[in-house]
Amino acid sequence: MDLRAVRSPAMTDVAKLAGVSHQTVSRVLNDHPNVREQTRLRVRAAIAELGYRPNRAARALVTGRSQLIGIVAQNSTLYGPASLLAAFEQAAAEAGFAVSVGSVGRMDRESIAGAVERHLDQRVAGLVVIAPVASADDALDDMPDDVPLVTIDGDPARSRALVTVDQAAGARQATELLLAAGHRTVWHVSGPPDWYDAAGRADGWRSALEAAGAEVPPVVAGEWSASSGYAAGRMLARMPEVTAVFTANDHQALGLLRALSEHGRRVPDDVSVIGFDDVPEAEFFIPPLTTVRQAFDAVAQAGLELLLAQISDEAPLAEQIVIAPTLVARSSVGPPPHRV
């Protein structure tokens, strides 16, 4: 089938035909010296055969014509990713930029690469990838190097332009508050294992317990849903030694609160509970939930500023910005029950 009869060829098509990566095609298009002549000729031949016409952000930047930012994000209604996306759209609009959102069903190499190519065909000035899961890493490694790129909520251990919340610090604050209230230890309902936020929160919880010389209970594995918290709560409610629980997000806490209530365990008289996120409904839980607030507006603003600095060649490609979360104290934490 003739590709040109279906759609205009993209850089991915050139790379596939030439048997090279996105980055190599990009280097050839930009006359980068570190490309072997044989490879350069092969890429040029593929470009000619496909009739590929470069339509890249870098060229738009030179002319100053692009006021469009491309965002790649998973198609999700989860509070954190959805809040980050909304905050970035608002920050971009205030800076005079339009936003094109490429939603993907899965954060894998093929899905992300396809969304990126669609953005580049729109002549975006830069790219933002909201990448909270480990499966996005392979795709991020293969990003074209001629377009400004910022990752939000990605792997903090990797070297790239990144803006994220200090998840471990927030979890430590929550755990330390419970220990300071007199609890001997704190149980943790975790998020999905492939999420960096979940891993960071589990690390912070564990480090706070270890630093205090407290026993580290086994992690109760969970998902991001209230039903997951409810299932964990039904188990923990039957364990009289459980007097404090830190959940990986507020929706888990909501399910946990119901389970504890159904089993006659009062919050905070019998069990103290802290969540994470500070969803808008958290202050209306029964009791109002103590939680950790993520400053999504600050993350979005920092991400935008880092991207704009790259666009104007004022920032290194590997700069990282970490935003501190805030502990929000309400009514779900108290001292442990007195044991006779």
Side-chain angles (χ1 to χ4, degrees):
M1 180 175 62
D2 184 359
L3 181 65
R4 284 166 289 184
V6 179
R7 60 170 172 80
S8 298
M11 182 181 288
T12 49
D13 303 313
V14 175
K16 183 177 180 179
L17 182 60
V20 298
S21 68
H22 280 150
Q23 289 130 320
T24 299
V25 175
S26 173
R27 292 187 184 101
V28 171
L29 290 171
N30 289 282
D31 295 322
H32 196 285
N34 295 334
V35 180
R36 291 187 303 173
E37 186 61 26
Q38 183 179 3
T39 302
R40 190 184 304 275
L41 292 173
R42 194 162 69 248
V43 171
R44 290 293 183 190
I47 290 173
E49 180 177 339
L50 292 173
Y52 174 68
R53 298 180 62 184
N55 186 13
R56 306 306 300 264
R59 286 161 167 69
L61 295 175
V62 171
T63 63
R65 289 176 292 171
S66 179
Q67 290 294 113
L68 180 66
I69 294 173
I71 299 181
V72 179
Q74 190 165 16
N75 185 11
S76 172
T77 58
L78 290 172
Y79 178 73
S83 297
L84 278 172
L85 179 58
F88 196 92
E89 287 182 298
Q90 179 64 32
E94 292 175 357
F97 281 80
V99 167
S100 173
V101 179
S103 297
V104 295
R106 295 183 300 173
M107 295 297 289
D108 56 23
R109 181 193 293 266
E110 182 178 358
S111 300
I112 294 175
V116 167
E117 279 304 318
R118 289 191 291 273
H119 282 320
L120 293 179
D121 286 343
Q122 294 176 326
R123 299 173 65 88
V124 295
L127 293 168
V128 173
V129 181
I130 301 176
V133 294
S135 59
D137 281 347
D138 287 344
L140 291 172
D141 287 339
D142 201 30
M143 285 289 180
D145 57 4
D146 61 340
V147 176
L149 169 68
V150 170
T151 304
I152 292 182
D153 219 16
D155 183 0
R158 299 173 72 88
S159 177
R160 68 168 66 92
L162 171 72
V163 182
T164 188
V165 172
D166 193 338
Q167 308 292 339
R172 283 194 297 270
Q173 291 180 57
T175 306
E176 289 167 356
L177 178 64
L178 291 165
L179 293 174
H183 297 275
R184 293 182 178 179
T185 190
V186 178
W187 291 71
H188 178 49
V189 182
S190 71
D194 59 335
W195 282 67
Y196 294 118
D197 289 358
R201 293 168 199 177
D203 287 346
W205 159 79
R206 186 178 296 104
S207 68
L209 292 178
E210 291 174 346
E215 177 186 355
V216 181
V219 172
V220 181
E223 299 294 330
W224 293 127
S225 64
S227 61
S228 172
Y230 179 72
R234 293 183 65 188
M235 180 189 73
L236 294 172
R238 296 185 176 94
M239 302 167 63
E241 68 272 24
V242 175
T243 66
V245 182
F246 164 54
T247 62
N249 78 347
D250 292 346
H251 288 98
Q252 287 180 342
L254 177 62
L256 178 77
L257 291 172
R258 174 179 170 179
L260 292 172
S261 176
E262 289 178 351
H263 286 79
R265 303 290 298 276
R266 298 166 299 168
V267 178
D269 296 342
D270 299 317
V271 182
S272 291
V273 178
I274 295 182
F276 206 109
D277 278 341
D278 194 26
V279 299
E281 300 84 5
E283 63 179 308
F284 301 104
F285 288 5
I286 301 176
L289 183 67
T290 295
T291 185
V292 179
R293 176 182 298 157
Q294 301 194 74
F296 296 116
D297 290 347
V299 173
Q301 188 61 44
L304 178 64
E305 291 175 1
L306 183 55
L307 185 68
L308 296 181
Q310 283 190 41
I311 290 173
S312 58
D313 294 324
E314 296 176 0
L317 297 179
E319 183 175 350
Q320 295 192 3
I321 300 173
V322 180
I323 306 296
T326 304
L327 185 67
V328 180
R330 295 195 178 103
S331 307
S332 61
V333 174
H338 178 66
R339 303 299 186 192
V340 178

